[in-house]
């Protein structure tokens, strides 16, 4: 497993990420590890999850825990179609993780862009293209198709962007693990008087609020623009990709 995607998971996708390189880097110069980019990607994660739930059949494109509940609910209530609609994003998410792992493995073998983050900008740009495709798929088409694309790219984003600041692990496509980390940092900051932890707590708070804001935005906008609302997410992914390409880690 590539170092960028390894570490003990906590059950919520908030793995304790290991640094890609042993050599310490100047975090303030790394856009890809910045808290601002983490917030932007979390906003995008909220957009994808809110869109799939509100517009594409009431499933979660990024939060697979909820989909597991929906699979069981549909099965026990004699609604196999409901179970299938929730199962497809889970499977697609798995394939997205496999895709990210394969990409990282191949890049490690080739040594291309070693010590750089240009390839992460490519992931975001591909995500932007696929979200444009999703927005072009009419509502009359089976929701399994757009949800498959969204879940796949959400998994790629999750695996490729795993930390911010000084090796602080986070998830950009769901929130439970981030909430746990945020609460821990507030405890250390407010009770144990750790100023560094308190700063991280504020950053985690921003990440969580951005995810919530993304979900609220897309649900409200979908009332007017329907399936094409996801194009807003495509624009954000494209902007993030350009930012990472312009200011990669060095």
């Amino acid at each position: 497993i590539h170092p960028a995607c390894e570490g003990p998971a906590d059950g919520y996708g908030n793995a304790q990420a290991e640094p890609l390189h042993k050599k310490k880097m100047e975090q303030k110069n790394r856009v890809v590890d910045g808290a601002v980019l983490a917030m932007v990607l979390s906003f995008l994660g909220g957009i994808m999850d809110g869109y799939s739930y509100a517009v594409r059949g009431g499933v979660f494109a990024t939060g697979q825990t909820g989909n597991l509940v929906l699979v069981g609910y549909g099965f026990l209530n004699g609604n196999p179609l409901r179970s299938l609609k929730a199962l497809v994003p889970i499977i697609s998410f798995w394939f997205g993780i496999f895709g990210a792992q394969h990409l990282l493995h191949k890049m490690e073998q080739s040594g291309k862009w070693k010590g750089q983050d240009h390839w992460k900008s490519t992931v975001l740009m591909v995500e932007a293209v696929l979200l444009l495709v999703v927005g072009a798929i009419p509502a009359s088409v089976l929701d399994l198709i757009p949800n498959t694309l969204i879940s796949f790219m959400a998994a790629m984003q999750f695996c490729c962007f795993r930390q911010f600041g000084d090796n602080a692990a986070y998830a950009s496509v769901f929130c439970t693990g981030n909430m746990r980390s945020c609460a821990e940092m507030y405890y250390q900051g407010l009770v144990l008087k750790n100023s560094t932890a308190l700063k991280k707590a504020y950053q985690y708070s921003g990440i969580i609020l951005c995810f919530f804001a993304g979900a609220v935005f897309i649900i409200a906008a979908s009332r007017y623009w329907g399936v094409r609302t996801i194009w807003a997410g495509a624009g954000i992914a494209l902007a993030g990709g350009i930012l990472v390409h312009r200011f990669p880690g060095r």
Side-chain angles (χ1 to χ4, degrees), residues 154-212:
M156 292 283 288
Q157 177 181 313
F158 164 62
C159 196
C160 296
F161 297 90
R162 298 286 289 272
Q163 63 187 49
F164 69 91
D166 188 14
N167 197 30
Y170 85 108
S172 64
V173 296
F174 31 78
C175 278
T176 307
N178 295 338
M179 290 181 181
R180 185 214 64 190
S181 297
C182 185
E184 288 177 348
M185 291 300 101
Y186 271 118
Y187 175 83
Q188 294 180 27
L190 298 176
V191 178
L192 303 182
K193 308 302 181 183
N194 185 327
S195 59
T196 300
L198 189 60
K199 179 181 178 180
K200 285 186 179 180
Y202 294 150
Q203 292 171 332
Y204 275 117
S205 297
I207 290 170
I208 294 167
L209 288 174
C210 283
F211 184 92
F212 174 74

Side-chain angles (χ1 to χ4, degrees), residues 56 71 189 210 241 246:
R56 296 294 189 176
V71 169
C210 283
R246 178 65 180 84

